[in-house]
């Protein structure tokens, strides 16, 4: 019922920047939160940043001051601006959506397909 389309991953040198986008579409009544998680090889998926429907943001300590999450409510799109990238930021980044759809009694959680970010040293 809800689809996520991610874009913006790629290869960048350390110290560089990338901007990820995630657009949600489909049967959306309201959005509780959207965010980005990442998973590096051999590691568990971890929260990078999230933003609630009220605009409250939450960041992993490792990205504070370097990454900024924002949202365009009219487009149901969330962005992750990543600056001062480090090799340890290399991972597959997944968009996460938690929201309400017509006809569903409980919030719906949806994951994107993932986009690879590679930071070279």
């Amino acid at each position: 019922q809800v689809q996520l389309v991610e874009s913006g991953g790629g290869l960048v040198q350390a110290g560089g920047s990338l901007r990820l986008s995630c657009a949600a579409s489909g049967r959306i009544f309201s959005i509780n939160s959207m965010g980005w998680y990442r998973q590096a090889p051999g590691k568990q998926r971890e929260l990078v940043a999230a933003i609630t429907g009220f605009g409250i943001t939450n960041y992993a300590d490792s990205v504070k001051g370097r990454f900024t999450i924002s949202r365009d409510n009219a487009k149901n799109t969330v962005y992750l601006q990543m600056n001062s990238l480090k090799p340890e930021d290399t991972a597959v980044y997944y968009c996460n959506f938690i929201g309400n759809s017509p006809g569903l009694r409980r919030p719906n959680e949806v994951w994107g397909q993932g986009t690879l970010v590679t930071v070279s040293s």
Side-chain angles (χ1 to χ4, degrees):
Q1 291 188 338
V2 175
Q3 298 81 38
L4 302 178
V5 177
E6 302 161 336
S7 62
L11 173 64
V12 64
Q13 288 187 335
S17 299
L18 282 174
R19 188 190 193 209
L20 305 182
S21 300
C22 174
S25 62
R27 293 170 56 82
I28 299 171
F29 177 72
S30 62
I31 297 177
N32 294 352
S33 70
M34 290 185 72
W36 292 93
Y37 288 69
R38 68 186 180 188
Q39 188 167 18
K43 294 187 177 181
Q44 290 188 335
R45 189 174 297 188
E46 62 176 1
L47 172 70
V48 177
I51 184 167
T52 72
F54 297 105
I56 298 172
T57 58
N58 184 33
Y59 294 93
D61 288 342
S62 60
V63 306
K64 285 180 179 177
R66 300 189 297 123
F67 292 9
T68 302
I69 191 169
S70 60
R71 204 174 96 183
D72 185 331
N73 291 332
K75 297 180 180 180
N76 289 335
T77 298
V78 64
Y79 305 97
L80 184 67
Q81 178 66 43
M82 304 185 293
N83 298 328
S84 302
L85 283 160
K86 305 175 181 180
E88 51 263 43
D89 294 317
T90 295
V92 177
Y93 284 68
Y94 296 91
C95 180
N96 176 265
F97 166 100
I98 300 176
N100 300 288
S101 297
L104 295 182
R105 295 184 178 181
R106 298 178 181 178
N108 189 22
E109 183 173 26
V110 181
W111 291 91
Q113 78 281 2
T115 184
L116 178 62
V117 172
T118 303
V119 184
S120 63
S121 58

